[in-house]
Structure formats: structure tokens, C-alpha cells
Amino acid sequence: MLPPYLQPGPHDFTDGSNFASGGAGALATTNTGTVASFPMQLSYFRNVTKLLQQKLGHLEAKRILRNAVYLISIGGCDYFSFYATNPNATEPQQEEYVAIVIGNLTTVLQGIYNLGGRKIAFQNVGSLGCLPAMRQIFGVTEGCVEGLLSLANLHNTALANVLKELESQLSGFKYSIFNYYDATEDRYLNPATYGFTNGSDGCCGTGPYRGVDCAIEPFELCEDLPEYVWFDGGHSTERANFQYAKLIWSGTPNTTGPYNVQQLFQQV
């Protein structure tokens, strides 16, 4: 596992680093406090590029940064935050907010490119309204939270468009998008197709879908974890994650494209 950037102790960044922060958003205003927002993560990456240059020299650091793949999964928390305070937002209001998120995201991508990054691997936003937590919090008894699905779809369309645009504008820029939305939605609707018996509830938590308060007493814990897509209200099980990881690495173009991550590493 790549070590977290903020982990205490010595680091060797030549094999990569992990800037992820639980609850982070593309917007600096999402889940403020101890969360490292996407723009802040870019500042950490900027520090790493300087350390690599000092350790290896500019030419070798440039080679490493150019050949590296930058795996990104962000956006969901921005939309959870927006929907919690704007559940009745009109489509124009949703589109305006998505444009702000995508604008911030694009700025960070441009920053990665300017620092030497060329290969970007994205996991798009999942079927947010189908998460056990969201269905439980918003009292959905059938189907999913439509407003969150709408935001996710708007985001994913805009993300695909902006990555294609960046590819045409920036020399050497290449990208991969894993269609996490379809992967999560299909496992919610058709769990048996993927070897699960439950695609709608969390294994750990409280409430009708065990959607909240995992590990907070009194909570329930299922007895057959591998049968579940969701571990808790918003995080998938190790078995589901393993399936997703295989799709990210070697998925076909209808799932992960225009390159999968294995192919992205092979690009020069």
C-alpha cells in the first residue's frame, strides 16, 4: 500500500504516495476541518515534486512524474453536502453546482499537469442515491434518492467531457474513467449476477438498511459479510472492492476507458 503523505516518519516518494483524505471534496468548503480538500492535496503533491527534484535531480524527477498514474476518486462528498441542504434544488441549480465542482476539479488537474503529471485515472461518482445511508436518511422505501442520482449523472457527464477536452488541449495528457456509477447501481439492482445475495443493505449499522452508526452501540452486524455489496451505509465490502479493482485495472472500454489503468501504465 502506498504510504499516506502525512504519515509520520521518513518517506521514499519514488514509488508514489497517497494524498487521499476521508470526506474530502473537490471544493475546499466541503467537510471543512481536519479534511484535506482536493486543492490542499494538490499542494501536498507540489511538495512531493520538490522533494523528488532535490533527491533525484530535475530530469529523473520529471521522468517519474510523467510515467506515474494519478488515481483519483472525488466528488461524492460534494454532492452529499449540497443535497443535504438543497434537497429540492431545480435542475438548473444542480447544473450550476456541478459546474462549480467540475471547475475546481479541472483546476487541480491542470495543476497536476503543470507539475509533470500526464496520466490520470478517474473513478467517476457512484450511484449516490442508492447507498444504504442515503436511502435511510432520506426515508426512501422503494428505489433510490432521485435527486442524488441526478447530481451524480450530471457530474459524470461533465467529467467525461472535461477529460476529453483536456486530452485535446494538453500535449501528452491521457486518462482513464472507471464507470463506478454503473458498477454500483448494477450490484444494487442485480446482486446475484455478481455473487452477492444483498445489494441494498449495509452489513454493519442501525436502522432499516443498517445505513448509519456502524460500530456505535447498539449496532447490528450481519453474519455473512461476503454476501453483501455494502459493508456499512456508504462503503463497499472487501469482496465488492476487489471486483471494482479488477475493473479499474483491466476492464473493457464499456466499463473503463478509453484506457484501463493497466494500459495507462503502458502508455509512453
Side-chain angles (χ1 to χ4, degrees), residues 94-158:
Q94 289 185 344
E95 290 173 348
E96 181 180 3
Y97 184 76
V98 168
I100 295 171
V101 171
I102 292 293
N104 276 44
L105 194 150
T106 304
T107 298
V108 174
L109 292 181
Q110 183 73 61
I112 294 172
Y113 181 88
N114 292 343
L115 290 167
R118 292 295 182 269
K119 305 175 185 181
I120 306 292
F122 253 98
Q123 173 174 291
N124 71 11
V125 169
S127 52
L128 304 178
C130 297
L131 270 62
M134 294 301 105
R135 290 166 44 243
Q136 184 167 316
I137 289 169
F138 293 103
V140 173
T141 55
E142 291 186 15
C144 302
V145 183
E146 291 300 325
L148 280 169
L149 293 183
S150 174
L151 284 163
N153 276 304
L154 287 170
H155 172 91
N156 290 341
T157 298

Side-chain angles (χ1 to χ4, degrees), residues 6-79:
L6 294 176
Q7 179 175 295
H11 286 261
D12 178 7
F13 294 114
T14 55
D15 288 330
S17 186
N18 182 359
F19 305 100
S21 179
L27 305 183
T29 53
T30 297
N31 294 336
T32 56
T34 57
V35 169
S37 68
F38 202 31
M40 187 178 292
Q41 293 174 39
L42 176 62
S43 72
Y44 294 157
F45 175 54
R46 187 175 291 111
N47 294 340
V48 167
T49 64
K50 292 177 182 177
L51 291 169
L52 287 174
Q53 289 167 356
Q54 292 168 6
K55 180 177 181 178
L56 304 172
H58 282 266
L59 284 178
E60 180 62 12
K62 181 179 179 180
R63 185 192 68 80
I64 287 177
L65 294 168
R66 187 181 188 89
N67 289 334
V69 170
Y70 301 83
L71 181 61
I72 298 168
S73 172
I74 204 156
C77 289
D78 296 295
Y79 298 115

